[in-house]
Amino acid sequence: MCEECGIHEYEKPVIAVCGKGGVGKTVFSALLSKVLLEEGLKPLLLVDADPVGGLMSAIGEYAVDTLAGVRDRFISEARRGGKTGAGEAADQLDYFILKALVERQNYSLLAMGHNEEKGCFCPANKLLKNAIDGLIPVFKGVLIDAEAGIEQINRDITGRVTRVIAVVDGSKRSMDTLAMVVNLVGSSHVSVVANRVLTEVVLQLPEGVDLLGSIPENDVLRQFDREGRPLWQLPPENEALTAVRGIAKALVLF
């Protein structure tokens, strides 16, 4: 295990997808999750860790509850002077986390959500990390669609992450975000996916960072995204989906 960032090398796959806002991070997460399930990595835990959401709707799901909602209820209870003991509170917290879990036959989903309550009790990122740590043993793999920036790509939620995938579009801002991610977790733990990058553009990647593959511009994918249609319903032969299958193979998960 890396002493500084806590990233593990030889555990079950726990993948965090990050990138600057607008690079197609959530679209890639949705397509990768579909491919991982196709390849038999199930049950799979999908974590929508961006407070503004996106992964849930991208695959056609809806979260009735979120981890932020769990946290807010605990803060409200504390303000009302609740006298719940520490052990009972921990059990209650675990119960609410499980209630926030959307369970399906081959996968489950957990959404971060957006905090409404202010307060320092159990910060949302710490709660997310604890929830992921507790759920990992139940699943064969975990895919985290992280926050648009790099706020969560540190010890907050990546204590058990085995691979960080940074999505870039070739812009300076996306490459700057990649550089910051590499600075936080180390180049040996980071891979890159190029999305909508022109073929003539040569990406200057940090030393030690590997390029898993590129996702081409795709009119059908754009139409699905524009209309809010679940990306899991893309035709099997779709070029973007085919590209993500190649990327999944490059991850050496199977």
Side-chain angles (χ1 to χ4, degrees):
M1 182 183 78
C2 174
E3 294 292 337
E4 293 185 2
C5 65
I7 290 182
H8 294 243
E9 291 280 10
Y10 301 112
E11 295 185 354
K12 62 178 66 177
V14 180
I15 302 165
V17 180
C18 67
K20 179 189 74 69
V23 296
K25 171 182 62 70
T26 296
V27 169
F28 171 69
S29 296
L31 297 184
L32 181 60
S33 64
K34 175 179 173 62
V35 170
L36 295 180
L37 289 169
E38 288 177 349
E39 294 290 343
L41 194 68
K42 51 192 175 185
L44 180 65
L45 176 62
L46 304 177
V47 181
D48 190 345
D50 194 329
V52 300
L55 181 59
M56 285 277 189
S57 61
I59 65 175
E61 291 283 3
Y62 174 76
V64 175
D65 203 353
T66 66
L67 285 176
V70 169
R71 174 183 179 272
D72 291 347
R73 285 198 296 279
F74 265 74
I75 293 175
S76 295
E77 178 66 23
R79 286 175 175 167
R80 287 197 297 268
K83 301 183 181 300
T84 304
E88 185 180 345
D91 290 341
Q92 192 176 30
L93 184 59
D94 289 342
Y95 169 74
F96 279 121
I97 287 173
L98 289 176
K99 277 193 68 178
L101 195 66
V102 178
E103 297 182 88
R104 300 291 183 254
Q105 182 175 356
N106 294 320
Y107 62 92
S108 295
L109 304 104
L110 194 62
M112 175 76 137
H114 180 71
N115 293 321
E116 299 296 338
E117 290 280 356
K118 303 298 181 183
C120 61
F121 178 79
C122 202
N125 278 349
K126 181 178 179 181
L127 179 57
L128 177 59
K129 178 185 181 300
N130 292 340
I132 292 173
D133 285 349
L135 290 169
I136 279 177
V138 181
F139 295 91
K140 198 169 181 179
V142 181
L143 177 63
I144 304 165
D145 183 31
E147 199 165 355
I150 62 169
E151 291 82 359
Q152 295 170 330
I153 306 303
N154 205 336
R155 298 189 184 196
D156 281 339
I157 68 167
T158 55
R160 299 287 294 274
V161 165
T162 59
R163 176 60 40 182
V164 175
I165 300 178
V167 181
V168 302
D169 60 5
S171 67
K172 184 179 186 304
R173 289 190 179 90
S174 73
M175 301 306 289
D176 288 345
T177 299
L178 168 62
M180 287 187 283
V181 170
V182 170
N183 186 55
L184 281 174
V185 304
S187 60
S188 62
H189 302 297
V190 180
S191 297
V192 168
V193 167
N195 186 40
R196 305 188 304 263
V197 176
L198 297 176
T199 54
E200 61 267 22
V201 174
V202 178
L203 295 176
Q204 300 296 322
L205 300 181
E207 184 177 354
V209 174
D210 60 315
L211 178 65
L212 292 174
S214 299
I215 304 173
E217 286 275 9
N218 187 267
D219 291 338
V220 176
L221 175 59
R222 252 197 320 269
Q223 182 179 352
F224 267 61
D225 200 27
R226 185 169 56 248
E227 296 175 356
R229 297 170 63 184
L231 300 183
W232 281 8
Q233 296 177 7
L234 279 170
E237 69 279 4
N238 179 267
E239 289 183 359
L241 191 53
T242 299
V244 174
R245 289 193 184 100
I247 290 167
K249 294 293 185 184
L251 280 169
V252 198
L253 298 178
F254 315 113

